[in-house]
Amino acid sequence: MSEMKSPSIKSLHTPWSWLGWLAGALLLLGAGVAGAAYLHSPAGSRVEAFLNWLFAANSIQTMWYITRTSGLVAYVLIWLSMVWGLGVASKIFDVVLHGTFTYDFHQYISLLAIGFTFLHIGVLLFDGYMPYSVLQILVPFISPYRPFWIGIGVIGFYLMLLVTVTFYIRTKIGMKAFRAIHVFSLVSYLGITLHSFMSGSDSSLPSVMVLYAVTFLITLFLIIYWLIMLAQKNLEKRAAMQAKLLSEHKMAMKPKQLPTRAHVTPYVPKNKRYSR
């Protein structure tokens, strides 16, 4: 049986693929905003009443449970994306997994985390206890509840969106800019972690505290490991460059040898070669 080769990253992500993802995300976002506006209008009151009867959507506890669950799931996915990204950068998974798979899996986890984050913040529009407006959700530090920590989470989410978008335009901006923008994922994770711990309603629970502590310590270990590997790689490059320069210097200082003349036998006429 012939061995199947994994497709390259370039073949998996054509310009049409990232345009399709972007168009789908904008379509879902537009549909959610349009649906929320319709349900809050007089024309959508009957539909809203039917949904409340069918799913008990007007219950404060229902929206609270959805917000809590989607927030915790989004945090775990963001953490997993962060850990997987550090693993890709430090090449921890290269021993057991193909590089293309680890790269694509990291990308898709990020998209899934964004989806649950949209659910987490979208439910707040329908919260009966403390409803949020679209402006309070999109603009940092104007939230009615713990505005500073909510604002930190909003900024962290925007940074996560920025990093995720660069997956699809990395061929246009170049790998150097792509890696530089990816550093913001560290800031994004830190902001989202602070937001989750300081503003989450479940942060006081022992299980949630253990979740935050374990995930943060694992991330901290991988960041330190990645920095050590990066420093070692830079030292190896510097040593190779110095060795190359030293070799070139030795070659330049080596004295050049003049070309030796070949031994030429003097010409003797034929009539005198055998004369004594």
Side-chain angles (χ1 to χ4, degrees), residues 89-117:
S90 57
K91 299 182 179 181
I92 296 177
F93 305 126
D94 288 359
V95 181
V96 293
L97 296 174
H98 194 274
T100 304
F101 172 79
T102 56
Y103 192 90
D104 290 341
F105 189 64
H106 170 54
Q107 177 181 349
Y108 296 141
I109 291 176
S110 301
L111 294 175
L112 193 60
I114 290 175
F116 273 94
T117 305

PDB file of all heavy atoms in Angstrom, residues 89-117:
ATOM      1  N   ALA A  89       5.135  26.006  18.221  1.00  0.00           N
ATOM      2  CA  ALA A  89       6.320  26.867  18.153  1.00  0.00           C
ATOM      3  C   ALA A  89       7.566  26.169  18.678  1.00  0.00           C
ATOM      4  O   ALA A  89       8.665  26.333  18.131  1.00  0.00           O
ATOM      5  CB  ALA A  89       6.063  28.154  18.939  1.00  0.00           C
ATOM      6  N   SER A  90       7.413  25.395  19.739  1.00  0.00           N
ATOM      7  CA  SER A  90       8.568  24.692  20.314  1.00  0.00           C
ATOM      8  C   SER A  90       8.770  23.300  19.731  1.00  0.00           C
ATOM      9  O   SER A  90       9.693  22.594  20.132  1.00  0.00           O
ATOM     10  CB  SER A  90       8.399  24.579  21.838  1.00  0.00           C
ATOM     11  OG  SER A  90       7.181  23.929  22.165  1.00  0.00           O
ATOM     12  N   LYS A  91       7.871  22.880  18.799  1.00  0.00           N
ATOM     13  CA  LYS A  91       7.974  21.603  18.088  1.00  0.00           C
ATOM     14  C   LYS A  91       7.949  20.402  19.038  1.00  0.00           C
ATOM     15  O   LYS A  91       8.647  19.410  18.828  1.00  0.00           O
ATOM     16  CB  LYS A  91       9.240  21.574  17.231  1.00  0.00           C
ATOM     17  CG  LYS A  91       9.264  22.657  16.159  1.00  0.00           C
ATOM     18  CD  LYS A  91      10.504  22.560  15.296  1.00  0.00           C
ATOM     19  CE  LYS A  91      10.495  23.636  14.229  1.00  0.00           C
ATOM     20  NZ  LYS A  91      11.683  23.574  13.349  1.00  0.00           N
ATOM     21  N   ILE A  92       7.116  20.499  20.074  1.00  0.00           N
ATOM     22  CA  ILE A  92       6.987  19.383  21.007  1.00  0.00           C
ATOM     23  C   ILE A  92       6.259  18.213  20.353  1.00  0.00           C
ATOM     24  O   ILE A  92       6.585  17.040  20.576  1.00  0.00           O
ATOM     25  CB  ILE A  92       6.251  19.830  22.283  1.00  0.00           C
ATOM     26  CG1 ILE A  92       7.069  20.886  23.025  1.00  0.00           C
ATOM     27  CG2 ILE A  92       5.952  18.660  23.198  1.00  0.00           C
ATOM     28  CD1 ILE A  92       6.394  21.430  24.252  1.00  0.00           C
ATOM     29  N   PHE A  93       5.250  18.538  19.518  1.00  0.00           N
ATOM     30  CA  PHE A  93       4.413  17.492  18.947  1.00  0.00           C
ATOM     31  C   PHE A  93       4.986  16.873  17.685  1.00  0.00           C
ATOM     32  O   PHE A  93       4.391  15.939  17.141  1.00  0.00           O
ATOM     33  CB  PHE A  93       3.023  18.063  18.619  1.00  0.00           C
ATOM     34  CG  PHE A  93       2.346  18.712  19.792  1.00  0.00           C
ATOM     35  CD1 PHE A  93       1.870  20.018  19.700  1.00  0.00           C
ATOM     36  CD2 PHE A  93       2.171  18.034  20.977  1.00  0.00           C
ATOM     37  CE1 PHE A  93       1.252  20.625  20.780  1.00  0.00           C
ATOM     38  CE2 PHE A  93       1.554  18.627  22.060  1.00  0.00           C
ATOM     39  CZ  PHE A  93       1.093  19.921  21.958  1.00  0.00           C
ATOM     40  N   ASP A  94       6.112  17.392  17.181  1.00  0.00           N
ATOM     41  CA  ASP A  94       6.654  16.884  15.919  1.00  0.00           C
ATOM     42  C   ASP A  94       7.087  15.430  15.999  1.00  0.00           C
ATOM     43  O   ASP A  94       7.187  14.750  14.976  1.00  0.00           O
ATOM     44  CB  ASP A  94       7.841  17.744  15.478  1.00  0.00           C
ATOM     45  CG  ASP A  94       7.396  19.119  14.993  1.00  0.00           C
ATOM     46  OD1 ASP A  94       6.171  19.364  14.990  1.00  0.00           O
ATOM     47  OD2 ASP A  94       8.258  19.933  14.634  1.00  0.00           O
ATOM     48  N   VAL A  95       7.338  14.947  17.221  1.00  0.00           N
ATOM     49  CA  VAL A  95       7.782  13.554  17.373  1.00  0.00           C
ATOM     50  C   VAL A  95       6.653  12.583  17.077  1.00  0.00           C
ATOM     51  O   VAL A  95       6.870  11.504  16.512  1.00  0.00           O
ATOM     52  CB  VAL A  95       8.327  13.331  18.805  1.00  0.00           C
ATOM     53  CG1 VAL A  95       8.805  11.905  18.976  1.00  0.00           C
ATOM     54  CG2 VAL A  95       9.449  14.312  19.100  1.00  0.00           C
ATOM     55  N   VAL A  96       5.416  12.954  17.424  1.00  0.00           N
ATOM     56  CA  VAL A  96       4.293  12.028  17.294  1.00  0.00           C
ATOM     57  C   VAL A  96       3.259  12.467  16.266  1.00  0.00           C
ATOM     58  O   VAL A  96       2.463  11.645  15.817  1.00  0.00           O
ATOM     59  CB  VAL A  96       3.593  11.842  18.664  1.00  0.00           C
ATOM     60  CG1 VAL A  96       4.508  11.119  19.632  1.00  0.00           C
ATOM     61  CG2 VAL A  96       3.154  13.178  19.251  1.00  0.00           C
ATOM     62  N   LEU A  97       3.249  13.757  15.880  1.00  0.00           N
ATOM     63  CA  LEU A  97       2.227  14.257  14.967  1.00  0.00           C
ATOM     64  C   LEU A  97       2.883  14.990  13.804  1.00  0.00           C
ATOM     65  O   LEU A  97       3.957  15.559  13.948  1.00  0.00           O
ATOM     66  CB  LEU A  97       1.261  15.210  15.700  1.00  0.00           C
ATOM     67  CG  LEU A  97       0.413  14.598  16.810  1.00  0.00           C
ATOM     68  CD1 LEU A  97      -0.381  15.677  17.524  1.00  0.00           C
ATOM     69  CD2 LEU A  97      -0.543  13.544  16.246  1.00  0.00           C
ATOM     70  N   HIS A  98       2.195  14.972  12.682  1.00  0.00           N
ATOM     71  CA  HIS A  98       2.687  15.683  11.503  1.00  0.00           C
ATOM     72  C   HIS A  98       2.520  17.189  11.702  1.00  0.00           C
ATOM     73  O   HIS A  98       1.545  17.648  12.307  1.00  0.00           O
ATOM     74  CB  HIS A  98       1.907  15.228  10.262  1.00  0.00           C
ATOM     75  CG  HIS A  98       2.549  15.653   8.974  1.00  0.00           C
ATOM     76  ND1 HIS A  98       2.326  16.878   8.401  1.00  0.00           N
ATOM     77  CD2 HIS A  98       3.417  15.007   8.152  1.00  0.00           C
ATOM     78  CE1 HIS A  98       3.026  16.985   7.277  1.00  0.00           C
ATOM     79  NE2 HIS A  98       3.693  15.865   7.109  1.00  0.00           N
ATOM     80  N   GLY A  99       3.468  17.946  11.191  1.00  0.00           N
ATOM     81  CA  GLY A  99       3.456  19.390  11.385  1.00  0.00           C
ATOM     82  C   GLY A  99       2.221  20.057  10.812  1.00  0.00           C
ATOM     83  O   GLY A  99       1.682  21.006  11.391  1.00  0.00           O
ATOM     84  N   THR A 100       1.728  19.571   9.665  1.00  0.00           N
ATOM     85  CA  THR A 100       0.539  20.153   9.054  1.00  0.00           C
ATOM     86  C   THR A 100      -0.681  19.960   9.941  1.00  0.00           C
ATOM     87  O   THR A 100      -1.505  20.858  10.102  1.00  0.00           O
ATOM     88  CB  THR A 100       0.289  19.520   7.677  1.00  0.00           C
ATOM     89  OG1 THR A 100       1.452  19.688   6.868  1.00  0.00           O
ATOM     90  CG2 THR A 100      -0.896  20.168   6.989  1.00  0.00           C
ATOM     91  N   PHE A 101      -0.809  18.768  10.548  1.00  0.00           N
ATOM     92  CA  PHE A 101      -1.953  18.504  11.419  1.00  0.00           C
ATOM     93  C   PHE A 101      -1.931  19.405  12.644  1.00  0.00           C
ATOM     94  O   PHE A 101      -2.965  19.983  13.013  1.00  0.00           O
ATOM     95  CB  PHE A 101      -1.949  17.034  11.850  1.00  0.00           C
ATOM     96  CG  PHE A 101      -2.975  16.724  12.905  1.00  0.00           C
ATOM     97  CD1 PHE A 101      -4.302  16.554  12.567  1.00  0.00           C
ATOM     98  CD2 PHE A 101      -2.604  16.625  14.243  1.00  0.00           C
ATOM     99  CE1 PHE A 101      -5.250  16.284  13.547  1.00  0.00           C
ATOM    100  CE2 PHE A 101      -3.537  16.349  15.220  1.00  0.00           C
ATOM    101  CZ  PHE A 101      -4.869  16.170  14.867  1.00  0.00           C
ATOM    102  N   THR A 102      -0.780  19.526  13.294  1.00  0.00           N
ATOM    103  CA  THR A 102      -0.714  20.349  14.502  1.00  0.00           C
ATOM    104  C   THR A 102      -1.015  21.805  14.191  1.00  0.00           C
ATOM    105  O   THR A 102      -1.675  22.494  14.972  1.00  0.00           O
ATOM    106  CB  THR A 102       0.685  20.236  15.134  1.00  0.00           C
ATOM    107  OG1 THR A 102       1.681  20.604  14.168  1.00  0.00           O
ATOM    108  CG2 THR A 102       0.951  18.827  15.609  1.00  0.00           C
ATOM    109  N   TYR A 103      -0.560  22.286  13.048  1.00  0.00           N
ATOM    110  CA  TYR A 103      -0.805  23.676  12.664  1.00  0.00           C
ATOM    111  C   TYR A 103      -2.292  23.905  12.412  1.00  0.00           C
ATOM    112  O   TYR A 103      -2.881  24.871  12.902  1.00  0.00           O
ATOM    113  CB  TYR A 103       0.014  24.008  11.418  1.00  0.00           C
ATOM    114  CG  TYR A 103       0.070  25.472  11.096  1.00  0.00           C
ATOM    115  CD1 TYR A 103       1.074  26.285  11.615  1.00  0.00           C
ATOM    116  CD2 TYR A 103      -0.871  26.046  10.255  1.00  0.00           C
ATOM    117  CE1 TYR A 103       1.117  27.630  11.313  1.00  0.00           C
ATOM    118  CE2 TYR A 103      -0.828  27.392   9.944  1.00  0.00           C
ATOM    119  CZ  TYR A 103       0.171  28.177  10.471  1.00  0.00           C
ATOM    120  OH  TYR A 103       0.204  29.514  10.175  1.00  0.00           O
ATOM    121  N   ASP A 104      -2.914  23.011  11.635  1.00  0.00           N
ATOM    122  CA  ASP A 104      -4.334  23.173  11.314  1.00  0.00           C
ATOM    123  C   ASP A 104      -5.213  22.979  12.537  1.00  0.00           C
ATOM    124  O   ASP A 104      -6.227  23.673  12.710  1.00  0.00           O
ATOM    125  CB  ASP A 104      -4.738  22.186  10.227  1.00  0.00           C
ATOM    126  CG  ASP A 104      -4.130  22.531   8.881  1.00  0.00           C
ATOM    127  OD1 ASP A 104      -3.708  23.690   8.719  1.00  0.00           O
ATOM    128  OD2 ASP A 104      -4.055  21.652   8.009  1.00  0.00           O
ATOM    129  N   PHE A 105      -4.854  22.034  13.404  1.00  0.00           N
ATOM    130  CA  PHE A 105      -5.638  21.808  14.613  1.00  0.00           C
ATOM    131  C   PHE A 105      -5.613  23.038  15.518  1.00  0.00           C
ATOM    132  O   PHE A 105      -6.626  23.414  16.117  1.00  0.00           O
ATOM    133  CB  PHE A 105      -5.087  20.588  15.359  1.00  0.00           C
ATOM    134  CG  PHE A 105      -5.940  20.138  16.503  1.00  0.00           C
ATOM    135  CD1 PHE A 105      -7.213  19.657  16.291  1.00  0.00           C
ATOM    136  CD2 PHE A 105      -5.465  20.202  17.814  1.00  0.00           C
ATOM    137  CE1 PHE A 105      -8.012  19.247  17.346  1.00  0.00           C
ATOM    138  CE2 PHE A 105      -6.260  19.795  18.872  1.00  0.00           C
ATOM    139  CZ  PHE A 105      -7.531  19.307  18.637  1.00  0.00           C
ATOM    140  N   HIS A 106      -4.452  23.674  15.608  1.00  0.00           N
ATOM    141  CA  HIS A 106      -4.336  24.915  16.381  1.00  0.00           C
ATOM    142  C   HIS A 106      -5.252  25.988  15.809  1.00  0.00           C
ATOM    143  O   HIS A 106      -5.919  26.731  16.550  1.00  0.00           O
ATOM    144  CB  HIS A 106      -2.881  25.381  16.349  1.00  0.00           C
ATOM    145  CG  HIS A 106      -2.658  26.753  16.886  1.00  0.00           C
ATOM    146  ND1 HIS A 106      -3.086  27.156  18.142  1.00  0.00           N
ATOM    147  CD2 HIS A 106      -2.050  27.844  16.338  1.00  0.00           C
ATOM    148  CE1 HIS A 106      -2.744  28.422  18.339  1.00  0.00           C
ATOM    149  NE2 HIS A 106      -2.134  28.857  17.251  1.00  0.00           N
ATOM    150  N   GLN A 107      -5.334  26.076  14.507  1.00  0.00           N
ATOM    151  CA  GLN A 107      -6.180  27.080  13.863  1.00  0.00           C
ATOM    152  C   GLN A 107      -7.661  26.806  14.118  1.00  0.00           C
ATOM    153  O   GLN A 107      -8.425  27.725  14.444  1.00  0.00           O
ATOM    154  CB  GLN A 107      -5.900  27.078  12.366  1.00  0.00           C
ATOM    155  CG  GLN A 107      -6.761  28.019  11.565  1.00  0.00           C
ATOM    156  CD  GLN A 107      -6.444  27.963  10.083  1.00  0.00           C
ATOM    157  OE1 GLN A 107      -5.449  27.367   9.680  1.00  0.00           O
ATOM    158  NE2 GLN A 107      -7.277  28.574   9.273  1.00  0.00           N
ATOM    159  N   TYR A 108      -8.079  25.565  13.992  1.00  0.00           N
ATOM    160  CA  TYR A 108      -9.492  25.232  14.155  1.00  0.00           C
ATOM    161  C   TYR A 108      -9.946  25.340  15.611  1.00  0.00           C
ATOM    162  O   TYR A 108     -11.110  25.669  15.884  1.00  0.00           O
ATOM    163  CB  TYR A 108      -9.765  23.834  13.602  1.00  0.00           C
ATOM    164  CG  TYR A 108      -9.530  23.737  12.107  1.00  0.00           C
ATOM    165  CD1 TYR A 108      -8.944  22.603  11.551  1.00  0.00           C
ATOM    166  CD2 TYR A 108      -9.865  24.788  11.263  1.00  0.00           C
ATOM    167  CE1 TYR A 108      -8.720  22.520  10.189  1.00  0.00           C
ATOM    168  CE2 TYR A 108      -9.640  24.712   9.902  1.00  0.00           C
ATOM    169  CZ  TYR A 108      -9.064  23.580   9.368  1.00  0.00           C
ATOM    170  OH  TYR A 108      -8.839  23.503   8.023  1.00  0.00           O
ATOM    171  N   ILE A 109      -9.056  25.071  16.553  1.00  0.00           N
ATOM    172  CA  ILE A 109      -9.401  25.279  17.959  1.00  0.00           C
ATOM    173  C   ILE A 109      -9.664  26.765  18.219  1.00  0.00           C
ATOM    174  O   ILE A 109     -10.578  27.141  18.969  1.00  0.00           O
ATOM    175  CB  ILE A 109      -8.285  24.748  18.872  1.00  0.00           C
ATOM    176  CG1 ILE A 109      -8.220  23.236  18.820  1.00  0.00           C
ATOM    177  CG2 ILE A 109      -8.506  25.179  20.317  1.00  0.00           C
ATOM    178  CD1 ILE A 109      -7.074  22.660  19.615  1.00  0.00           C
ATOM    179  N   SER A 110      -8.862  27.619  17.602  1.00  0.00           N
ATOM    180  CA  SER A 110      -9.059  29.057  17.761  1.00  0.00           C
ATOM    181  C   SER A 110     -10.424  29.486  17.228  1.00  0.00           C
ATOM    182  O   SER A 110     -11.123  30.295  17.855  1.00  0.00           O
ATOM    183  CB  SER A 110      -7.947  29.824  17.039  1.00  0.00           C
ATOM    184  OG  SER A 110      -6.676  29.476  17.546  1.00  0.00           O
ATOM    185  N   LEU A 111     -10.816  28.952  16.075  1.00  0.00           N
ATOM    186  CA  LEU A 111     -12.126  29.284  15.514  1.00  0.00           C
ATOM    187  C   LEU A 111     -13.256  28.783  16.417  1.00  0.00           C
ATOM    188  O   LEU A 111     -14.261  29.477  16.616  1.00  0.00           O
ATOM    189  CB  LEU A 111     -12.262  28.676  14.114  1.00  0.00           C
ATOM    190  CG  LEU A 111     -11.334  29.249  13.041  1.00  0.00           C
ATOM    191  CD1 LEU A 111     -11.486  28.462  11.748  1.00  0.00           C
ATOM    192  CD2 LEU A 111     -11.630  30.721  12.799  1.00  0.00           C
ATOM    193  N   LEU A 112     -13.098  27.596  16.975  1.00  0.00           N
ATOM    194  CA  LEU A 112     -14.113  27.057  17.881  1.00  0.00           C
ATOM    195  C   LEU A 112     -14.208  27.894  19.153  1.00  0.00           C
ATOM    196  O   LEU A 112     -15.310  28.149  19.668  1.00  0.00           O
ATOM    197  CB  LEU A 112     -13.779  25.609  18.220  1.00  0.00           C
ATOM    198  CG  LEU A 112     -14.876  24.780  18.910  1.00  0.00           C
ATOM    199  CD1 LEU A 112     -16.113  24.704  18.035  1.00  0.00           C
ATOM    200  CD2 LEU A 112     -14.361  23.383  19.215  1.00  0.00           C
ATOM    201  N   ALA A 113     -13.072  28.352  19.660  1.00  0.00           N
ATOM    202  CA  ALA A 113     -13.074  29.212  20.839  1.00  0.00           C
ATOM    203  C   ALA A 113     -13.781  30.535  20.556  1.00  0.00           C
ATOM    204  O   ALA A 113     -14.527  31.046  21.410  1.00  0.00           O
ATOM    205  CB  ALA A 113     -11.635  29.471  21.294  1.00  0.00           C
ATOM    206  N   ILE A 114     -13.576  31.085  19.367  1.00  0.00           N
ATOM    207  CA  ILE A 114     -14.260  32.328  19.003  1.00  0.00           C
ATOM    208  C   ILE A 114     -15.770  32.102  18.934  1.00  0.00           C
ATOM    209  O   ILE A 114     -16.562  32.955  19.363  1.00  0.00           O
ATOM    210  CB  ILE A 114     -13.714  32.851  17.666  1.00  0.00           C
ATOM    211  CG1 ILE A 114     -12.283  33.353  17.850  1.00  0.00           C
ATOM    212  CG2 ILE A 114     -14.590  33.966  17.106  1.00  0.00           C
ATOM    213  CD1 ILE A 114     -11.615  33.772  16.566  1.00  0.00           C
ATOM    214  N   GLY A 115     -16.183  30.953  18.410  1.00  0.00           N
ATOM    215  CA  GLY A 115     -17.609  30.650  18.345  1.00  0.00           C
ATOM    216  C   GLY A 115     -18.265  30.597  19.712  1.00  0.00           C
ATOM    217  O   GLY A 115     -19.342  31.178  19.929  1.00  0.00           O
ATOM    218  N   PHE A 116     -17.635  29.927  20.681  1.00  0.00           N
ATOM    219  CA  PHE A 116     -18.200  29.866  22.026  1.00  0.00           C
ATOM    220  C   PHE A 116     -18.118  31.225  22.724  1.00  0.00           C
ATOM    221  O   PHE A 116     -18.972  31.534  23.563  1.00  0.00           O
ATOM    222  CB  PHE A 116     -17.481  28.799  22.851  1.00  0.00           C
ATOM    223  CG  PHE A 116     -18.062  27.428  22.687  1.00  0.00           C
ATOM    224  CD1 PHE A 116     -17.553  26.545  21.753  1.00  0.00           C
ATOM    225  CD2 PHE A 116     -19.137  27.015  23.462  1.00  0.00           C
ATOM    226  CE1 PHE A 116     -18.081  25.286  21.586  1.00  0.00           C
ATOM    227  CE2 PHE A 116     -19.682  25.751  23.311  1.00  0.00           C
ATOM    228  CZ  PHE A 116     -19.159  24.881  22.364  1.00  0.00           C
ATOM    229  N   THR A 117     -17.128  32.033  22.376  1.00  0.00           N
ATOM    230  CA  THR A 117     -17.058  33.378  22.952  1.00  0.00           C
ATOM    231  C   THR A 117     -18.208  34.237  22.439  1.00  0.00           C
ATOM    232  O   THR A 117     -18.806  35.016  23.195  1.00  0.00           O
ATOM    233  CB  THR A 117     -15.714  34.033  22.620  1.00  0.00           C
ATOM    234  OG1 THR A 117     -14.659  33.185  23.065  1.00  0.00           O
ATOM    235  CG2 THR A 117     -15.591  35.385  23.307  1.00  0.00           C
TER     236      THR A 117
END
